[in-house]
Amino acid sequence: MRRELSVGRIVAWALLIVLMVLTLFPFYWMLRTAFSDNTQLPGHPSSLLPVESTLGAFKRVLGLSSVAEAQAQGGSGAAVNFWLYLRNSLIVSTVTTVCQVFFSAMAAYAFARLRWPGRDKVFALFLAALMVPPIFTTLPNFALIKNLGLLNSFAGIILPGAFMTPFAIFFLRQFFLGINRELEEAAMIDGAGHRRIFFGLIIPMSAAPITTLAILTYINSWNDYFWPLLVGQQEKVRVLTVALGVFRSQTPQGGPDWAGLMAATLIAALPMIILFVAFARRITNSIGFSGIK
Amino acid sequence: MTVTTSPPRQRRSLGDLKVAMIFLAPATLGFVVFYIWPTLRGAYLSFTEYSLLSAPKFNGLDNYERMVHDSFFWNALGVTVEYVLINIGVQTVLAVGIAMLMYRLTKSITVRAVVLLPYLVANVVVALVWYWMLDYQVGIVNQALSWIGIDPVAFFGDSHWAIPTVALINVWRHMGYTALLVFAGLQTIPSYVYEAAEVDGSTELKTFWRITLPLLRPVLVMVLVVTMIGSFQIFDTVAVTTQGGPINATRVIYYYIYERAFTRFDFGYASAMALVLFAILAVISLLQLRLLRAKESDLA
């Protein structure tokens, strides 16, 4: 149905454009502030371009400027080293994603391609766990991690998410169910066992959904705040989101280090934005699927 | 099919059980240790006094009795409900609007990606950016307000504005995601329905109210359930901006549980409140599904 340019359509387009500007503006403002000189910011609160553009904020946040320099530019002077937090976030997200996706894929295979008594009941039990609000399991999980002596360790941050999430299993099971059984049977006739079918057939054939799930898992894990806040407070394992919270509470009350704060948020957000830009089509297309449970 | 050598009867009874157990082992370990066990233990802890330092001490219904008399608890519940209502109300309307605009105007992936972008950034990042933009003195939003002659608003500092502010920040983050769910739902409505409406001379608005919205109901129910469950669990935004203030105005239930457990080490009481939250969420989702008859589609 092709429609001519009507008043209604123009208004609709205008609305959509306004919405997109509203969506993008905060990102631009983050960028604009991060490149500004913090001491000059209050004088030009509505300047659309960076105020006295400088890389000072980034240097300060990445620990590349001295305490005196940082304080002169409006920073707190407290030691911040986002390189370390960046590394910690990378470790946590990578290990969580690799383990969670792999183990969930194994489980999804058992639920989708194998026949065994009680299968559907066990699967229903896994799905039911989606109902339990995270905070409810978080409290005992914290006690457990504490009793295991794993507070402030990568293991403590990573373990609860490393084995599975009900959603990941559900997501992959849907795709595995759709794979043609004849291929599997042909492989079996060739003498392939389940291990070979899983690694040589199912996984390669599901590369697309597995990648999508891995990206979503990575983003979630990167953005997670609550659990690492509880378990990973110490500098050596502190991830970016937690570091941002700490950095925010460190900024002096009188004139906060807004430029530094925005530089830090940008550093924390940038990897995910890049990941998203690279896989935008895949992620957006998966939303419709993942929502309908 | 008859490749395996095991006798048919045994295959039918046990099937691939052995293999399945191997494939399920890691996931089951994680499931039992970090989902099932903590769920049971959380329920038990809610009947105890537990400070994390010594063993939990059973104290029956004490925590629940305390909750009834705890004005902070009721305040937290009230604040959370206010948050949820604003968040869901605004978000659902906007999301349906955005989805309709996208559906009627463009299938562009870029548009969809832009709309989704805020959802992919951490809550903490979103909270900090808005914290800066909404700053009382030098925030761009108050600057913009001053251009049109409105006095600056203490978005986070005024107890009337704090919760709506936090709620709208999260609307900004989530509306694109919700819009894409609705968008996916719109695509399942067959085009002949619209063609028939057009033949009957139905106006755009009439078609929306009489056809699109009713046919969208299953999707809308799902969206409502998912967003309601999610928004009851607001934490990150509050934790990095207001931390419950001003004067308890944003101390939502999740944040209150967190404070009780991790700054006062009142673990038993926190568990009891978490269990109540769990119950509330379960009841709400059941009610929503029941009331809106989610399983019936008007199409089928």
Side-chain angles (χ1 to χ4, degrees):
Chain A
M1 273 188 294
R2 248 198 106 64
R3 279 158 202 282
E4 68 283 17
L5 211 62
S6 63
V7 179
R9 264 178 94 72
I10 294 171
V11 172
W13 265 110
L15 273 176
L16 191 60
I17 288 167
V18 167
L19 275 163
M20 289 177 59
V21 170
L22 272 178
T23 305
L24 289 176
F25 184 78
F27 291 99
Y28 174 71
W29 209 243
M30 194 187 332
L31 202 70
R32 168 264 186 201
T33 310
F35 285 105
S36 294
D37 180 320
N38 198 58
T39 51
Q40 301 298 314
L41 260 183
H44 309 271
S46 52
S47 156
L48 278 178
L49 290 174
V51 182
E52 300 283 319
S53 78
T54 163
L55 290 173
F58 289 97
K59 286 189 181 149
R60 199 150 71 235
V61 165
L62 293 172
L64 299 174
S65 58
S66 68
V67 172
E69 268 177 330
Q71 276 171 339
Q73 292 167 347
S76 69
V80 273
N81 191 351
F82 272 78
W83 289 119
L84 177 67
Y85 312 138
L86 195 65
R87 186 206 68 169
N88 292 346
S89 275
L90 275 170
I91 293 174
V92 168
S93 304
T94 309
V95 177
T96 304
T97 304
V98 170
C99 293
Q100 188 190 108
V101 171
F102 180 66
F103 293 142
S104 297
M106 283 173 63
Y109 179 75
F111 284 125
R113 312 300 299 187
L114 300 174
R115 295 204 184 111
W116 44 282
R119 182 184 69 177
D120 296 341
K121 283 194 185 107
V122 176
F123 181 64
L125 185 67
F126 271 65
L127 274 195
L130 281 172
M131 283 281 294
V132 183
I135 191 145
F136 191 63
T137 47
T138 295
L139 299 177
N141 274 342
F142 178 82
L144 176 69
I145 292 293
K146 184 176 181 290
N147 291 338
L148 290 174
L150 291 176
L151 286 188
N152 292 306
S153 74
F154 282 122
I157 303 178
I158 292 168
L159 269 178
F163 295 100
M164 55 85 71
T165 64
F167 172 73
I169 294 178
F170 167 80
F171 184 91
L172 290 178
R173 177 179 167 271
Q174 287 304 101
F175 288 98
F176 292 176
L177 280 176
I179 291 172
N180 200 330
R181 206 158 252 291
E182 280 158 23
L183 280 168
E184 206 174 350
E185 280 161 13
M188 276 188 167
I189 290 168
D190 288 345
H194 284 289
R195 208 176 53 147
R196 269 200 33 215
I197 290 176
F198 178 65
F199 284 106
L201 196 71
I202 304 284
I203 289 207
M205 284 185 76
S206 311
I210 288 175
T211 316
T212 307
L213 179 68
I215 297 163
L216 292 176
T217 310
Y218 205 89
I219 291 174
N220 276 335
S221 160
W222 187 275
N223 289 344
D224 194 16
Y225 178 65
F226 194 53
W227 181 251
L229 172 75
L230 302 178
V231 178
Q233 277 288 0
Q234 272 175 21
E235 180 108 10
K236 63 179 167 106
V237 292
R238 191 183 292 160
V239 296
L240 273 170
T241 45
V242 178
L244 279 178
V246 173
F247 190 58
R248 133 98 171 92
S249 54
Q250 273 175 354
T251 54
Q253 273 311 308
D257 181 7
W258 291 116
L261 199 54
M262 288 302 108
T265 52
L266 200 63
I267 293 169
L270 206 56
M272 290 312 100
I273 295 176
I274 293 170
L275 192 68
F276 177 56
V277 170
F279 293 100
R281 178 177 295 270
R282 185 158 273 169
I283 297 172
T284 36
N285 284 339
S286 75
I287 298 300
F289 170 82
S290 59
I292 297 160
K293 288 174 181 157
Chain B
M1 218 25 228
T2 50
V3 187
T4 42
T5 46
S6 50
R9 201 186 312 141
Q10 204 199 333
R11 274 192 67 223
R12 192 171 305 137
S13 56
L14 288 179
D16 305 315
L17 186 62
K18 253 191 193 158
V19 190
M21 276 164 68
I22 296 168
F23 273 91
L24 271 176
T28 308
L29 175 71
F31 186 62
V32 171
V33 175
F34 295 110
Y35 284 83
I36 296 282
W37 169 242
T39 302
L40 300 174
R41 187 163 163 79
Y44 167 70
L45 287 179
S46 78
F47 299 104
T48 66
E49 196 189 315
Y50 183 32
S51 67
L52 278 172
L53 297 170
S54 49
K57 217 165 62 208
F58 188 80
N59 67 358
L61 289 173
D62 282 8
N63 291 328
Y64 293 93
E65 219 178 292
R66 199 173 138 200
M67 213 183 298
V68 176
H69 302 293
D70 180 358
S71 62
F72 287 110
F73 169 73
W74 292 106
N75 173 68
L77 215 52
V79 169
T80 309
V81 169
E82 190 188 346
Y83 169 86
V84 169
L85 290 179
I86 299 173
N87 181 267
I88 293 207
V90 179
Q91 180 174 308
T92 311
V93 171
L94 277 176
V96 171
I98 297 169
M100 282 303 289
L101 286 174
M102 288 197 296
Y103 184 69
R104 299 302 305 269
L105 295 176
T106 171
K107 301 265 185 283
S108 154
I109 274 283
T110 314
V111 172
R112 274 188 267 170
V114 165
V115 167
L116 188 64
L117 190 57
Y119 182 74
L120 296 149
V121 181
N123 278 320
V124 178
V125 167
V126 169
L128 287 175
V129 171
W130 281 99
Y131 191 63
W132 158 229
M133 295 198 356
L134 296 172
D135 183 73
Y136 184 69
Q137 282 165 343
V138 284
I140 183 66
V141 175
N142 272 321
Q143 291 298 314
L145 288 179
S146 77
W147 296 331
I148 49 174
I150 297 176
D151 286 339
V153 181
F155 289 99
F156 293 104
D158 182 322
S159 56
H160 296 290
W161 279 107
I163 267 291
T165 301
V166 173
L168 292 179
I169 289 174
N170 283 316
V171 167
W172 179 81
R173 181 170 186 259
H174 288 275
M175 66 184 180
Y177 178 80
T178 312
L180 284 183
L181 292 180
V182 178
F183 183 79
L186 285 172
Q187 287 179 316
T188 63
I189 301 176
S191 58
Y192 66 78
V193 184
Y194 289 118
E195 281 152 25
E198 202 167 2
V199 170
D200 289 347
S202 170
T203 63
E204 188 101 356
L205 214 59
K206 231 174 167 178
T207 310
F208 175 75
W209 285 112
R210 300 256 173 92
I211 295 174
T212 312
L213 218 47
L215 287 182
L216 217 47
R217 201 184 56 204
V219 176
L220 284 179
V221 173
M222 186 274 298
V223 164
L224 272 177
V225 173
V226 171
T227 51
M228 188 165 287
I229 290 174
S231 57
F232 258 97
Q233 303 178 48
I234 154 96
F235 174 81
D236 300 2
T237 319
V238 167
V240 294
T241 58
T242 60
Q243 290 164 342
I247 338 163
N248 308 325
T250 59
R251 184 177 279 113
V252 289
I253 187 76
Y254 220 90
Y255 195 76
Y256 187 46
I257 295 173
Y258 160 79
E259 276 187 333
R260 277 286 159 193
F262 297 102
T263 62
R264 313 243 194 131
F265 304 105
D266 208 347
F267 235 64
Y269 188 48
S271 300
M273 288 194 288
L275 188 68
V276 169
L277 178 64
F278 185 4
I280 292 173
L281 293 180
V283 169
I284 288 175
S285 26
L286 283 179
L287 274 181
Q288 277 179 328
L289 292 171
R290 185 60 56 85
L291 285 176
L292 291 151
R293 290 174 297 140
K295 280 183 181 151
E296 296 166 35
S297 161
D298 292 342
L299 264 182

